[in-house]
Amino acid sequence: MAARFRGFLPVVVDVETGGFNADTDALLEVAAVLIEIDDDGWLQRGETIAYSVHPFDNANLEQSALDFTGIDPWDPERDAVHERDALSDVFGPIRKAVKRNECKRAVLVGHNATFDHNFLFAASDRCGIKRNPFHPFSTFDTATLAGLAYGHTVLAKACKLAGIPFSNREAHSAAYDAEKTADLFCGIVNRWKELGGFPPPQVEEASDETE
């Protein structure tokens, strides 16, 4: 894995939130899916780690966002935990996977990855977590990759074009969306390898000298 992504371990993350502002709006669900690689260099979806999260103190909750996700933040059956506990339990296995794969750090894979990255880092900063395993700004965005590979950027549509079953009824759960995003990411990377795009052909570096 370290040789495939320049020392990065791709980890798929999806969050469900109480709005679009990472600094003020509640983080309500977080899910991370580890990516595995076999001896022949093919990627596959690994372990899923997912938590429902209590809104932090004074967090903003937009009703339109709750209507979209269908999440009731105060439902006792959510079995929600506090942000710090959720992030600590998500980050722990990721740090172990980084070490196991001899990588330098994790890189967040997401569908419209900037959104998930912003909320993950805002929550991590809010909780004072020092050992965030993710790169502070680099991401792999499957919306962009799906646009290239399938001509579509919507997750549900891109999955269907890729032959990945997708249920709109189960969507907008962090765990479900993260797993489908992981399947999409693995499928695109594996297809590129299958087509001969990786490893890239050896090209001699151009000389800086003018002959």
Side-chain angles (χ1 to χ4, degrees):
M1 185 72 86
R4 180 61 182 86
F5 298 106
R6 199 176 68 82
F8 291 145
L9 176 72
V11 178
V12 180
V13 172
D14 189 83
V15 300
E16 301 297 337
T17 69
F20 295 104
N21 189 322
D23 294 323
T24 61
D25 298 344
L27 174 66
L28 299 176
E29 290 183 3
V30 58
V33 177
L34 301 180
I35 301 296
E36 307 290 347
I37 191 167
D38 68 17
D39 293 339
D40 296 318
W42 302 101
L43 301 188
Q44 59 190 2
R45 169 159 53 99
E47 177 187 5
T48 300
I49 310 135
Y51 287 91
S52 295
V53 182
H54 284 303
F56 64 90
D57 289 345
N58 300 316
N60 183 55
L61 292 162
E62 297 288 342
Q63 189 59 48
S64 58
L66 301 182
D67 291 342
F68 181 73
T69 62
I71 296 173
D72 176 1
W74 316 118
D75 182 357
E77 296 186 4
R78 288 183 71 227
D79 196 24
V81 300
H82 292 288
E83 272 189 340
R84 184 178 181 83
D85 295 331
L87 294 184
S88 295
D89 287 351
V90 167
F91 288 168
I94 294 172
R95 284 195 293 267
K96 290 179 181 177
V98 169
K99 184 176 181 180
R100 183 174 67 251
N101 285 280
E102 299 180 346
C103 291
K104 294 181 294 185
R105 67 193 317 163
V107 61
L108 186 148
V109 181
H111 203 78
N112 298 310
T114 300
F115 180 85
D116 302 284
H117 189 274
N118 287 347
F119 268 89
L120 191 71
F121 270 73
S124 182
D125 291 346
R126 200 159 44 236
C127 295
I129 294 176
K130 304 299 184 184
R131 297 180 63 204
N132 185 330
F134 286 98
H135 193 283
F137 55 83
S138 291
T139 60
F140 294 158
D141 183 16
T142 53
T144 301
L145 291 173
L148 169 68
Y150 300 111
H152 215 292
T153 59
V154 175
L155 179 60
K157 183 65 174 179
C159 283
K160 290 176 182 177
L161 290 169
I164 299 167
F166 193 95
S167 168
N168 289 317
R169 182 176 57 82
E170 296 184 66
H172 309 308
S173 151
Y176 185 83
D177 287 357
E179 289 176 350
K180 293 303 177 180
T181 302
D183 289 342
L184 183 63
F185 176 74
C186 291
I188 292 172
V189 174
N190 288 342
R191 182 61 173 156
W192 182 246
K193 173 179 168 63
E194 185 178 38
L195 292 171
F198 191 89
Q202 296 297 315
V203 179
E204 292 185 10
E205 293 186 8
S207 173
D208 290 334
E209 298 180 2
T210 302
E211 296 187 4

